[in-house]
């Protein structure tokens, strides 16, 4: 998780403290949009307004990188397991084919007669979905 980013010539951009968040809620008008970047750099809004446009842009880029969802991931190197579709959820054809190919590979590794049990117990899909995804993969191949 990223906790701070060095902004060249301006300082270090950090997450806002509770005090800064409370102060942010009191600000109204156009200053409210720039206040988080100013506070993150340890500046006042007036100091931030006096910066050059390229410095403001660098601060904005650092702030967006700091608060982005990817920076909140505690283990960015560990690949995320893709989310499985829920019951009655529409699944795009490309995703159906992808899931079908994965299911075919798993079915080929399991002994005969064990695939249905594996789908129902381990996969998180119901068997009808699994059959539909396998059919889509076979149709494309």
């Amino acid at each position: 998780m990223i906790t701070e980013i060095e902004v060249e010539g301006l300082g270090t951009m950090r997450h806002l403290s509770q005090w800064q968040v409370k102060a942010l809620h009191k600000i109204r008008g156009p200053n409210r949009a720039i206040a988080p970047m100013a506070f993150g750099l340890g500046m006042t809004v007036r100091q931030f307004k006096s910066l050059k446009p390229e410095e403001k842009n660098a601060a904005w880029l650092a702030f967006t990188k700091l608060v982005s969802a990817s920076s909140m991931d505690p283990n960015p190197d560990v690949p995320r397991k893709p989310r499985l579709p829920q019951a009655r959820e529409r699944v795009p054809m490309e995703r159906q084919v992808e899931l079908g190919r994965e299911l075919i590979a798993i079915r080929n590794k399991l002994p005969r007669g064990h695939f249905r049990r594996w789908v129902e117990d381990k996969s998180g899909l119901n068997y009808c979905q699994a059959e539909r995804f396998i059919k889509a993969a076979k149709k494309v191949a």
Side-chain angles (χ1 to χ4, degrees):
M1 183 165 114
I2 299 173
T3 57
E4 57 185 39
I5 297 174
E6 187 66 33
V7 182
E8 189 174 331
L10 296 177
T12 304
M13 176 71 71
R14 292 185 174 90
H15 290 284
L16 300 181
S17 67
Q18 288 180 339
W19 182 87
Q20 290 170 325
V21 171
K22 284 181 183 179
L24 180 65
H25 289 299
K26 295 176 185 176
I27 297 175
R28 299 284 177 243
N31 292 341
R32 187 165 188 165
I34 61 173
M37 291 174 282
F39 292 170
L41 287 169
M43 299 179 169
T44 64
V45 173
R46 183 175 290 164
Q47 289 171 328
F48 188 82
K49 282 181 166 183
S50 68
L51 295 176
K52 296 174 188 165
E54 51 273 359
E55 291 174 328
K56 289 180 184 178
N57 189 35
W60 182 81
L61 291 173
F63 181 76
T64 54
K65 184 175 181 184
L66 187 67
V67 297
S68 70
S70 63
S71 72
M72 301 298 176
D73 189 5
N75 297 323
D77 298 331
V78 177
R80 292 204 174 273
K81 189 175 180 183
R83 186 183 71 80
L84 291 174
Q86 303 295 315
R88 294 180 175 42
E89 178 182 347
R90 282 189 186 261
V91 181
M93 185 54 81
E94 301 85 35
R95 181 77 172 125
Q96 287 184 25
V97 170
E98 178 185 325
L99 287 168
R101 288 180 179 152
E102 291 174 18
L103 289 168
I104 289 171
I106 291 168
R107 184 178 65 187
N108 292 338
K109 291 178 185 175
L110 292 173
R112 181 171 173 81
H114 287 77
F115 180 68
R116 183 178 188 133
R117 180 65 151 263
W118 179 88
V119 167
E120 292 170 349
D121 293 343
K122 307 277 185 186
S123 74
L125 299 171
N126 64 40
Y127 190 67
C128 291
Q129 284 178 313
E131 284 182 321
R132 192 171 68 243
F133 298 152
I134 289 172
K135 189 183 287 188
K138 286 181 178 180
K139 188 189 294 186
V140 171

